[in-house]
Amino acid sequence: MLTGSEEIAGIYQEFSKFPNPLKGWTGSQVSLKHGGKYCTIYSEWSQRDLERAEWVKFCREYIVFCDENSIVHTCPSGKCTELRGELLNRASPSGTLKAVLRGHTNKKGEEQQYLEIWSKTSKESSINLTALDKHGKVYEDDQFGCLAWSHSETHILYIAEKKRPKTASFFQTKLAFSAEEENYNSNKSKKCQKPVQGDQYLYWEDWGETLVKRNTPVLCVLDIESGNIFIMQGIPEHISPGQAIWAPKDTGIIFVGWWHLPWRLGLKYCTNRKSALYCVDLTGSECLQISSGVNSVRSPRLSPDQRHVIYLEGGNVKTHHQCYNLSLYNLDNKEISTVVKIVDYPIVDGFTGIYSSELALNCWASDSQRVIIDTAQRSRKDLIIVNSATGIVTSLITDSEAGSWTLLDIHQDLMVVSCSSPNCPPALKVGFLPAAGKEQGIAWVALDEAEPLPEIDWKILTFTPPFEQANPKFPGLQFESILLIPGHEKEVKPPLVVIPHGGPNSIFVVSWMLLPVALCKLGYAVLLVNYRGSSGFGQDSIRSLPGNIGSQDVKDVQYAVESVLKEGCVDSDKVLLIGGSHGGFIGCHLICQYPGFYKAFATRNPVINLVSKLGTTDIPDHTMVQAGFDFAPDQLPTPSVLTALLSKSPITCVSQVRTPVLIMLGEKDKRIHPTQGLELYRALRARSAPVRLLWYPDDNHSLSKVGTEADVFMNIALWFVFALDITNAA
């Protein structure tokens, strides 16, 4: 095992250099004079730059030569190029133009946003959106953001913050206020707003974790020829629009609208928010609600023939993530149908349902009938194809050595995918989609090679809870874990690091993850636990957890750990624990319920006290639902409910802790307020338990800034070395 700080830092530096693919798209196929065709594949990647302590985004391009529907040869086109200042970009449907949203800080330190139009040879135009002052900042996040070309390539659609009224103090000097009024009066024709006195500190409600300052999004349309920007009117005031696409023939805009009544609940990682599909015409005179609004919706995608819109639709489960229907809106007859239904209890080795957070921007085959989706299937991420006419689901990946697959793009039936495994970093592959009924015969060709890391093995373990731990309402449920084992020093059994995921309705899939692979290279075995309640195992598994947190999830993790220990491949006296968010909640329960079993615990932004969390989180409904109660925003929880919440909280049994605890908190966390971790820290300090607290003032719930993430890893690794030294000494 490696235990020195320089050795640990060296391992982290080595593996943090592997980039992650963000997106990709395929250019149109061009015919060659002497037969055959070729096209260009454009891809964007992110990479950690430890020296600059920031994420670096860069692009790679490839050329694919093909003959009919087979790939003849692929090669890179030029070198990687860093993308500086790009917030969003999108190629036009024909591929001849590209729109770029760019951020820039001027000499005065003011942030500016520009919308640029590029041709294949030069920049055609650049519009200073900030100077135009038509709206606030443009949204570039995954939740709301979009940058969509019209089918005619004459307009660009995007989403921005609604322009806020100017404000003035009650005590602003009369001269200054008169100047503001004079400016208002002279610009009435430009629809300037008169400053509002006393509203400088008015509270603007936002959409929570990672979506701060996202308050009132508006749909914006840029006319490329004139440079004019139009703010779409006619959208109901009780919804926030996002994920917008152009309607057929550019007659309107189809978008998702999220209700923000009675207030805005956190949206990040919460795909269950009340929402509906809408269509507004370009005049703003009519805004039609397409879906019922009973269930959540997201990711509308228009078919190539512009006759259907496919989208994801939730069910009646109130958890923040779940299994989803795949729904189809027929634009001809204005009818909605369900293509793929929610799977409650999957058959053994069968299709487990759709759990995607979003669909790829281009996910339709050229026949406008089949849709390609990447989704968790138990502990793997599979690539499936759905026939929208029949509802038949087929896996495109059979007997693959790669663990998980992600669709980046499909154009003219040429697919670009990313694939990786726990011991193999991401790489891109391309392949033509065969005709219907022959989908499993895809010949995948690698655009770049990624070799598996030597001396790291992995496998998926399946568990059936013992009879006494089975859920009586949902019997027969299984769960899984992913085990990474260092392949060297076979004569020495490695320590075991246990990591339950957060959520709790998220999942670990067998893909490339920096923390587990770096720990494995340091000499640790790593167990990633997908306890009952994880996504990818059917809706019944998700339904089984609410009301049973702190019990069912904790017992599943402990059962998985003890099962691995019985195999004798790891050191049973050196078991360590990592957990963040709900994983931290589980971890705190584990060190309380099994005192001394875990030799060290490292936790990021843990849930400690469900009662105090209720009033400080951006998702109070999550607390109530997972604890087994209904959430009523207009009612206070009763004393009996508060008692039940407290009884499920690990803070109540902290006196039993015998494990050294490292706590890492993000000051800007709106999901799990850092006071949760402070409660744990103070409770342990009061009992003279070994504890260390790290406070990151510029980070939020995920602690994912490059500098933060590196510091977190180093401190976890050294904390484990410290704990194992104590164990060895004893």
Side-chain angles (χ1 to χ4, degrees), residues 87-88 101-102 113-115 129-130 135-141 144-147 157-162 214 218 220 229:
L87 304 177
L88 290 172
L101 174 69
R102 193 180 305 277
Q113 286 187 326
Y114 295 83
L115 188 55
L129 300 178
T130 307
H135 49 69
K137 282 192 174 182
V138 178
Y139 288 21
E140 74 274 12
D141 57 83
F144 291 100
C146 72
L147 193 63
L157 167 67
Y158 62 93
I159 293 172
E161 180 69 18
K162 185 178 181 179
R214 266 66 165 178
V218 290
C220 309
I229 295 174

Side-chain angles (χ1 to χ4, degrees), residues 203 205 207 238 258-265 273-274 620 631-635:
Y203 173 65
E205 186 180 276
W207 282 104
H238 69 277
W258 287 272
W259 268 255
H260 42 67
L261 298 176
W263 72 79
R264 292 165 177 79
L265 291 165
R273 294 289 173 239
K274 183 177 175 63
F631 173 68
D634 59 343
Q635 296 178 18

Side-chain angles (χ1 to χ4, degrees), residues 245-266:
I245 61 174
W246 288 92
K249 300 180 181 179
D250 300 334
T251 55
I253 295 168
I254 297 171
F255 65 93
V256 176
W258 287 272
W259 268 255
H260 42 67
L261 298 176
W263 72 79
R264 292 165 177 79
L265 291 165

Side-chain angles (χ1 to χ4, degrees), residues 44 209 415 594:
E44 289 185 6
E209 175 69 16
M415 294 179 289
Y594 304 92

Side-chain angles (χ1 to χ4, degrees), residues 328-444:
L328 182 77
Y329 178 57
N330 188 314
L331 290 156
D332 294 333
N333 58 26
K334 311 301 181 186
E335 291 183 354
I336 293 176
S337 59
T338 300
V339 178
V340 179
K341 295 182 178 180
I342 289 169
V343 176
D344 292 320
Y345 189 87
I347 61 174
V348 177
D349 296 327
F351 174 62
T352 66
I354 296 175
Y355 303 88
S356 303
S357 296
E358 63 176 340
L359 302 176
L361 287 176
N362 296 318
C363 60
W364 284 91
S366 60
D367 59 16
S368 293
Q369 183 169 318
R370 294 174 294 167
V371 179
I372 297 89
I373 301 173
D374 51 68
T375 179
Q377 295 291 286
R378 299 175 78 90
S379 295
R380 292 180 180 269
K381 192 175 185 182
D382 200 358
L383 203 60
I384 63 172
I385 186 163
V386 179
N387 189 309
S388 63
T390 64
I392 295 175
V393 178
T394 305
S395 173
L396 295 180
I397 309 302
T398 56
D399 302 324
S400 169
E401 294 182 1
S404 294
W405 296 67
T406 300
L407 176 69
L408 299 181
D409 188 45
I410 178 171
H411 180 60
Q412 295 176 305
D413 287 342
L414 179 62
M415 294 179 289
V416 184
V417 301
S418 167
C419 52
S420 71
S421 299
N423 64 346
C424 188
L428 299 188
K429 294 185 178 183
V430 290
F432 276 103
L433 179 67
K438 301 178 181 179
E439 290 90 353
Q440 292 184 333
I442 299 175
W444 295 105

Side-chain angles (χ1 to χ4, degrees), residues 481-630:
S481 295
I482 304 166
L483 179 63
L484 282 72
I485 305 177
H488 59 286
E489 297 183 3
K490 293 290 186 179
E491 68 280 1
V492 178
K493 294 180 180 180
L496 178 66
V497 178
V498 181
I499 310 179
H501 62 70
N505 308 122
S506 58
I507 186 174
F508 287 124
V509 293
V510 282
S511 61
W512 176 261
M513 293 171 278
L514 176 58
L515 176 62
V517 74
L519 287 172
C520 205
K521 289 298 288 187
L522 290 178
Y524 298 94
V526 180
L527 185 69
L528 308 169
V529 186
N530 290 322
Y531 44 86
R532 282 172 291 172
S534 302
S535 298
F537 293 84
Q539 199 80 303
D540 282 355
S541 180
I542 291 174
R543 290 192 184 102
S544 73
L545 188 55
N548 297 307
I549 57 171
S551 175
Q552 177 178 292
D553 44 5
V554 174
K555 291 175 181 176
D556 282 357
V557 174
Q558 187 65 18
Y559 183 75
V561 173
E562 292 179 358
S563 298
V564 170
L565 296 183
K566 288 179 181 178
E567 292 185 2
C569 59
V570 299
D571 191 334
S572 60
D573 292 325
K574 297 179 180 179
V575 184
L576 309 154
L577 184 61
I578 298 175
S581 193
H582 188 83
F585 173 86
I586 293 173
C588 289
H589 268 299
L590 285 167
I591 63 173
C592 291
Q593 296 181 28
Y594 304 92
F597 182 89
Y598 295 93
K599 304 308 176 186
F601 176 41
T603 182
R604 299 174 293 104
N605 297 313
V607 177
I608 299 301
N609 185 334
L610 296 178
V611 175
S612 58
K613 178 192 172 220
L614 194 60
T616 57
T617 179
D618 63 335
I619 52 169
D621 62 309
H622 175 273
T623 304
M624 296 293 287
V625 169
Q626 293 297 342
F629 301 101
D630 290 331

